[in-house]
Amino acid sequence: MKILQEFKEFAVRGNVIDMSVGVIIGTTFAKIVESLVHDVIMPPFSVLFGQVDFSNLYLNLSNRRFDTFSEAEAAGVPMLNYGSFLNHIVHFMIVAFILFLFVRQMNKMRRPDEDPLIDMKTKLCSFCFKSIAYKATRCPHCTSELEDRRLKSLKPAPLKTTIKRRSKSL
């Protein structure tokens, strides 16, 4: 019974449910990308480059001669189907590029102006010249308060006022 209880805790844990939803959405998204590649992107490639379907390319490993791939396949001779492999490579490259563009756009929508490596960047403290985190507002080494360049551009410039002192004449 303890195993069933542990399995129940594992199955209803949030990250398992999130992962299963991600797999379902990923499968559906894969079908959309598959259709985009097969129905939208590959036809123009076929027009531009001629034959893009390499599935009929093979290397016959027997001593018998065949004119087409389908004849060799029907005869059941051993053959190396490198054309199908090339098709999968071309398909993978197109899908990977489309997914790259999609993820890139999603990241821009999520964080339009923020640098994704901002947490890894450092700057020098203007007082002790030691390396500190880029987002730091106070130096951990000398405890100097640092000016925040992002906020500085948003703050209005201070008003310059001059105070004239009266001279005391005796």
Side-chain angles (χ1 to χ4, degrees):
M1 286 305 200
K2 186 176 180 180
I3 293 176
L4 292 176
Q5 181 65 26
E6 287 179 24
F7 178 74
K8 179 182 172 187
E9 290 174 11
F10 171 78
V12 297
R13 200 179 301 164
N15 53 1
V16 174
I17 294 170
D18 290 344
M19 185 179 69
S20 60
V21 169
V23 167
I24 292 168
I25 290 174
T27 304
T28 306
F29 185 72
K31 289 180 183 179
I32 292 170
V33 172
E34 188 83 27
S35 174
L36 177 68
V37 169
H38 186 265
D39 301 329
V40 177
I41 294 176
M42 290 306 273
F45 271 99
S46 297
V47 171
L48 290 174
F49 300 112
Q51 177 189 359
V52 179
D53 183 19
F54 302 115
S55 60
N56 289 328
L57 301 176
Y58 69 100
L59 180 65
N60 187 352
L61 299 177
S62 71
N63 57 358
R64 296 169 41 195
R65 177 160 163 62
F66 298 98
D67 293 328
T68 64
F69 172 78
S70 56
E71 287 177 7
E73 188 176 38
V77 297
M79 52 188 181
L80 189 65
N81 301 332
Y82 67 91
S84 179
F85 180 70
L86 289 175
N87 266 350
H88 288 297
I89 288 176
V90 168
H91 185 265
F92 171 78
M93 297 302 286
I94 293 171
V95 169
F97 183 69
I98 289 171
L99 285 176
F100 164 74
L101 293 176
F102 178 77
V103 169
R104 183 174 175 235
Q105 192 61 36
M106 291 302 294
N107 285 339
K108 282 184 180 180
M109 288 172 34
R110 196 172 344 161
R111 305 169 283 203
D113 295 331
E114 188 175 328
D115 184 2
L117 301 176
I118 194 77
D119 292 330
M120 297 172 63
K121 291 185 178 180
T122 60
K123 62 182 177 182
L124 291 178
C125 173
S126 55
F127 297 98
C128 68
F129 300 105
K130 291 193 177 183
S131 180
I132 57 175
Y134 184 77
K135 287 184 174 181
T137 57
R138 187 176 288 272
C139 178
H141 306 288
C142 68
T143 68
S144 299
E145 198 168 312
L146 307 169
E147 64 181 52
D148 192 356
R149 292 186 183 121
R150 290 173 288 150
L151 294 177
K152 184 179 179 183
S153 63
L154 298 175
K155 290 180 184 176
L159 297 174
K160 293 185 179 181
T161 57
T162 55
I163 300 173
K164 294 184 180 180
R165 295 183 186 226
R166 285 193 232 173
S167 58
K168 291 184 182 179
S169 32
L170 295 172

